[in-house]
Amino acid sequence: MSTEQNHQEPDPQDPGSEDAAELRPDEAAQPDAQSATTEVEQLTVDLANAKDQVLRTHAEMQNLRRRMERDVENAHKYALEKFVGELLPVVDNLERSIQAMADVGDEFKAVSDGIELTLKSFQDVLDRFKVATVNPGGEVFNPDLHQAMSMLEVPDAKPNTVIDVFQKGYTLNGRLIRPAMVVVAKSVANNTSET
């Protein structure tokens, strides 16, 4: 017997044939190509999601950094706010003392001068630390800086104008610490009656 007779070609239709898959490469490759395409699409979506997440995280970190820088800046700017608020009554009392000494006369001139110098040095320190006085006499009433204690009809004054200041206000770096307590002019009511 020849060797050609013993070697038989495998039948591609025979399911028991070992080489059946090798004979149909187009059928076997299609499921692999589809799954590879699906896997590539899924990986592309995952990559896009990961990039988006990284960008969002980066933006959040930048916002957090800016917020922290602003908070630190505000902490430095306004750290003295409570302390200054506690010292303002001392300034008020020094100013009242000077006014009281003016009414007494020249007997206490040395004491009055000493109080004025003390007040001046106190105000210089406040100026150095960016504490500004709000003394709105004659200005238009501003509810952001002034607190109206009463309103009076004053024929000579424009309505909504500060005509008297009970207590000065103060700001620290532009932020209000204490509003100025004021008296505001209101328009004079017409008391004319028809006869």
Side-chain angles (χ1 to χ4, degrees):
M1 227 187 200
S2 73
T3 55
E4 290 180 5
Q5 290 177 345
N6 285 344
H7 187 297
Q8 294 180 348
E9 290 289 320
D11 184 12
Q13 304 297 327
D14 182 15
S17 173
E18 294 175 8
D19 298 329
E22 290 179 19
L23 295 176
R24 292 180 267 162
D26 56 333
E27 291 177 9
Q30 283 181 353
D32 287 340
Q34 288 176 349
S35 67
T37 303
T38 305
E39 187 175 338
V40 167
E41 290 172 356
Q42 181 61 41
L43 289 173
T44 304
V45 169
D46 290 346
L47 179 62
N49 289 340
K51 283 182 179 180
D52 183 53
Q53 187 63 34
V54 167
L55 288 174
R56 288 178 188 270
T57 303
H58 184 67
E60 285 178 24
M61 293 304 293
Q62 282 183 331
N63 289 340
L64 179 63
R65 183 178 49 85
R66 285 186 197 123
R67 193 176 315 121
M68 288 179 64
E69 287 172 356
R70 186 178 62 237
D71 289 347
V72 168
E73 181 183 337
N74 285 341
H76 288 294
K77 259 179 141 174
Y78 305 115
L80 296 176
E81 184 173 1
K82 188 173 181 179
F83 180 69
V84 170
E86 294 294 323
L87 290 179
L88 293 180
V90 176
V91 174
D92 295 336
N93 289 333
L94 288 172
E95 289 175 346
R96 286 187 200 107
S97 298
I98 291 170
Q99 288 174 351
M101 291 293 194
D103 294 341
V104 172
D106 289 338
E107 310 173 4
F108 298 102
K109 178 79 170 133
V111 175
S112 177
D113 290 343
I115 294 172
E116 285 180 20
L117 289 173
T118 303
L119 177 62
K120 172 82 170 98
S121 64
F122 209 113
Q123 289 171 335
D124 289 343
V125 170
L126 292 177
D127 286 342
R128 264 185 297 207
F129 287 95
K130 307 280 192 283
V131 178
T133 304
V134 178
N135 192 7
E139 297 176 7
V140 175
F141 177 75
N142 180 352
D144 293 333
L145 297 174
H146 313 146
Q147 180 178 352
M149 301 306 290
S150 65
M151 294 184 78
L152 293 176
E153 290 182 4
V154 179
D156 301 347
K158 291 182 183 177
N160 228 18
T161 303
V162 175
I163 55 174
D164 192 17
V165 179
F166 284 138
Q167 187 178 54
K168 293 177 186 175
Y170 290 89
T171 60
L172 173 64
N173 287 311
R175 180 189 282 182
L176 186 67
I177 296 174
R178 182 179 81 184
M181 296 182 184
V182 298
V183 178
V184 181
K186 66 178 179 178
S187 58
V188 178
N190 290 337
N191 292 332
T192 58
S193 58
E194 295 181 15
T195 55

